[in-house]
Amino acid sequence: FKEKLVESYNQLGHCLRALEQYEQAVKSMQAMVKIQAALAKDDPDSLNSRLANSYHELGICLAKLGRHTEAVDSFSTAVAILSPFAEKGEQDSDTRLASLHHALGESLIKIRHYENAMQSLQLAVKIRSNVSAGGPITLDDCASSHQELGFCLQQLTHYEEAIASYQASVRIYSSSKGEDYSSFYAGK
């Protein structure tokens, strides 16, 4: 019964998010997370990975509403839940963890916590760089993480590192489109 209720809240949340009704989507996602957390106590291995996904979805909706502090909490919880699964090598957990670190970094930037954002985005870049060669992460995902990291480093006045990150983003975006725009950036 509760698992079916979770799925109903999940689908309701997705529909509401698609309609950009984020307040209602947040309520649905919060209800889903509450039920899943209770279920995870009885079956931690099978449900915690799904619980991490639910916190991720909740964080996305909160970020869309500009509630970035709450989004940071939700993304951080998801990272804490999912990290052990990634360490065990569970299928696609690296991909999901990279996405979470990217989203966490973006929300941390919004609340001007640049040091923490930098750490999270560096992890996203590292994971995405390792996985993109043979996994579901796209080159655009890698380039996007480099771009966000560059912005974060720029805010911290780590200009040389920011330039390197932006250059990596340009290189990756260019190669993913089959064109070379790398000669336009400084130093070439």
Side-chain angles (χ1 to χ4, degrees):
F1 154 75
K2 287 183 180 179
E3 288 161 356
K4 291 183 186 235
L5 187 59
V6 165
E7 186 55 30
S8 292
Y9 274 124
N10 181 36
Q11 295 305 320
L12 176 60
H14 284 287
C15 289
L16 291 164
R17 188 172 133 197
L19 293 172
E20 298 181 3
Q21 295 178 12
Y22 298 115
E23 285 290 347
Q24 293 301 318
V26 163
K27 289 177 184 175
S28 180
M29 298 291 181
Q30 286 172 329
M32 177 178 64
V33 163
K34 184 176 180 179
I35 296 166
Q36 276 186 314
L39 288 171
K41 289 178 184 174
D42 297 330
D43 189 6
D45 288 338
S46 68
L47 288 172
N48 276 338
S49 180
R50 290 194 318 219
L51 181 58
N53 288 340
S54 297
Y55 273 108
H56 188 184
E57 293 292 327
L58 175 59
I60 290 169
C61 291
L62 290 165
K64 291 282 189 184
L65 290 169
R67 294 163 54 182
H68 295 289
T69 301
E70 291 172 81
V72 164
D73 290 342
S74 191
F75 292 138
S76 295
T77 300
V79 165
I81 293 168
L82 191 59
S83 290
F85 291 91
E87 289 171 12
K88 291 179 192 174
E90 183 181 291
Q91 186 177 1
D92 294 332
S93 59
D94 280 346
T95 304
R96 294 178 2 231
L97 193 59
S99 181
L100 276 166
H101 276 295
H102 184 94
L104 176 58
E106 286 180 322
S107 284
L108 286 164
I109 286 171
K110 295 288 187 187
I111 59 174
R112 300 176 187 252
H113 290 191
Y114 298 118
E115 287 287 338
N116 292 339
M118 177 186 68
Q119 293 170 3
S120 199
L121 289 164
Q122 285 171 331
L123 285 168
V125 164
K126 180 180 177 182
I127 296 167
R128 284 180 166 174
S129 296
N130 290 336
V131 175
S132 65
I137 293 178
T138 67
L139 289 174
D140 284 354
D141 291 333
C142 291
S144 177
S145 290
H146 275 287
Q147 187 174 2
E148 291 294 328
L149 178 58
F151 176 80
C152 188
L153 291 163
Q154 185 178 352
Q155 299 307 305
L156 292 167
T157 67
H158 300 314
Y159 296 116
E160 290 185 18
E161 293 174 67
I163 288 168
S165 198
Y166 284 133
Q167 287 173 336
S169 180
V170 167
R171 216 173 23 259
I172 295 166
Y173 275 132
S174 294
S175 70
S176 74
K177 305 303 178 207
E179 300 179 26
D180 185 11
Y181 294 99
S182 60
S183 62
F184 293 112
Y185 59 73
K188 284 276 183 186

